[in-house]
Amino acid sequence: DTGCPVDNLIPEFNDFVYKGKWKEAVENLHSTNNFPEFTGRLCPAPCEGACTVGLIDKPVSIKAIERTIIDRAFDEGWVKPMPSSFKSGKKVAIVGSGPAGLAAAQQLARAGHDVVVFEKADRIGGLLRYGIPDFKMEKHLIDRRVKQMEAEGVVFKTNTHVGKDITAKQLLADYDSVVLAMGAERPRDLSVPGRELKGIHFAMNFLTFNNKQVAGDNVDYISAKDKHVIVIGGGDTGSDCVGTSNRHGAKSVTQIELFPEPPKDRDSSTPWPLYPKMLRTSSSQEEGNVVRKWSINTLGFRGNDKGEVTAIRGNQVRFENGKMEPIPGTEFEWPADLVFLAMGFVSPVKEDLISQLQEAGLELDKAGNVKASFGTKDGSFATSIPKVYACGDVRRGQSLIVWAISEGRKCADQVNKHLLV
């Protein structure tokens, strides 16, 4: 077990780098991972948590090695299109152009199928494009992969909302297979008094329009300049809100988390080789101008007579026997001009495509994700509708980019086997 969801052959590419065989290293890396330049920047590196060196010292910096290999490969001109010499005559529609959809598309095109990727946004990339800030990953990295994939035969259709611009019925009629890779975009909300006040936003609304503004689009984006910013949620999305707010010139940034502060070293509940439960500090948090607070429960918000948020109310809590208990005497009220809800995502969006497919017999699991098996010999990633498959967050719920790429590749393999029967 390498600790890598995308099955990277880590000891092998490390050895190639050690021996100075960089071309062999990138070939090895590409044999399991379509987009190491994405994972090398964005993956939380569960591989390093599983590294045996980590038992006695700091683990090998596998993520940095991966990034260095692929960056050198592009610099040297080693990354070239790999169009298939075989054409199956089969047509595949992929809905969503995030890492799962892109990985599935590239694999299926290289297998000789005609692949069309539908994306409702104006640019390709999903959350890679409109979610991850440019300071974490520059968007030209996506653009050059899109060019490679176009040269391999993939057709990209942006500004095309499947379920609105194209019905599910039409999609099923026009294509031999359909891959659902739309992600899990429904954010977790906060039902407390004052939630309706102006200035309280889902994190993705803030990050998406900021990315558009950085890309040069003339859009109304949410500016944090000279504002007291509260970020609710201690994960990656929350950190992205912290870094973006500070780049805008926020007056103050406070990031709060409901759960207790994790230990500074690996917790006994996650022994090697599990991904360690421990305190992590993102680059956005390292930059400063952020106060991180733990065990904080939000009770509500106060506003002014214009309906704008001016303060957040809350208290400290403790968890006992799995229950959250308020700590008496810890109630507080802090100034808040902007509040970003970064508490994760609960499920895919049901409106339009999924609801239309449900009428055709699509089943969802208890969490509201598209029901499709994983890891079985027959029918992996297959939904309850014939020839319709699902991979990535739309199937497994909110997860990591490395899982999205892994599922996209494995799903493509199943679709290919189905099409070649």
Side-chain angles (χ1 to χ4, degrees), residues 329-377:
T330 61
E331 293 79 11
F332 65 82
E333 184 169 307
W334 299 330
D337 304 310
L338 269 180
V339 178
F340 297 125
L341 307 181
M343 303 174 296
F345 301 85
V346 293
S347 71
V349 173
K350 306 297 189 304
E351 291 79 10
D352 305 319
L353 179 57
I354 287 182
S355 61
Q356 289 175 22
L357 288 172
Q358 283 182 285
E359 293 175 8
L362 183 72
E363 294 180 14
L364 305 182
D365 64 18
K366 291 179 181 178
N369 305 312
V370 175
K371 190 175 182 180
S373 60
F374 176 78
T376 56
K377 288 184 179 179

Side-chain angles (χ1 to χ4, degrees), residues 81 83 106 124 143-157:
Q106 186 164 60
I124 295 298
D143 298 335
R144 68 184 181 187
R145 278 296 183 184
V146 169
K147 287 181 181 177
Q148 181 198 33
M149 292 172 66
E150 286 175 334
E152 293 171 348
V154 178
V155 175
F156 292 98
K157 293 192 176 182

Side-chain angles (χ1 to χ4, degrees), residues 202-213:
F202 287 120
M204 277 304 147
N205 291 348
F206 175 53
L207 297 172
T208 296
F209 283 98
N210 184 76
N211 278 352
K212 287 178 176 287
Q213 189 266 340

Side-chain angles (χ1 to χ4, degrees), residues 152-205:
E152 293 171 348
V154 178
V155 175
F156 292 98
K157 293 192 176 182
T158 55
N159 294 307
T160 306
H161 192 148
V162 180
K164 284 186 177 178
D165 302 316
I166 300 174
T167 64
K169 188 175 180 180
Q170 187 178 342
L171 201 69
L172 293 172
D174 291 348
Y175 292 88
D176 298 292
S177 283
V178 175
V179 176
L180 306 179
M182 304 97 72
E185 292 186 308
R186 190 177 298 285
R188 180 173 283 106
D189 208 342
L190 190 61
S191 181
V192 295
R195 167 65 181 89
E196 74 287 348
L197 291 166
K198 296 174 187 174
I200 302 173
H201 305 273
F202 287 120
M204 277 304 147
N205 291 348

Side-chain angles (χ1 to χ4, degrees), residues 230-234 254-258 291 293 296 298 312 334:
I230 304 290
V231 179
I232 302 178
T254 304
Q255 185 177 18
I256 63 176
E257 169 61 62
L258 180 63
V291 176
K293 292 186 177 289
I296 298 293
T298 302
I312 179 174
W334 299 330

Side-chain angles (χ1 to χ4, degrees), residues 12 78 85 142 200 220 245 307 340 351:
E12 293 184 17
W78 297 335
S85 57
I142 306 171
I200 302 173
D220 290 329
S245 296
F340 297 125
E351 291 79 10

Side-chain angles (χ1 to χ4, degrees), residues 23-24 72 98 216 218 402:
K23 203 166 186 179
E24 289 87 342
R72 178 160 182 172
N218 185 17
V402 70

Side-chain angles (χ1 to χ4, degrees), residues 219-233:
V219 293
D220 290 329
Y221 70 100
I222 302 162
S223 175
K225 184 174 174 60
D226 297 328
K227 304 276 181 69
H228 290 294
V229 176
I230 304 290
V231 179
I232 302 178

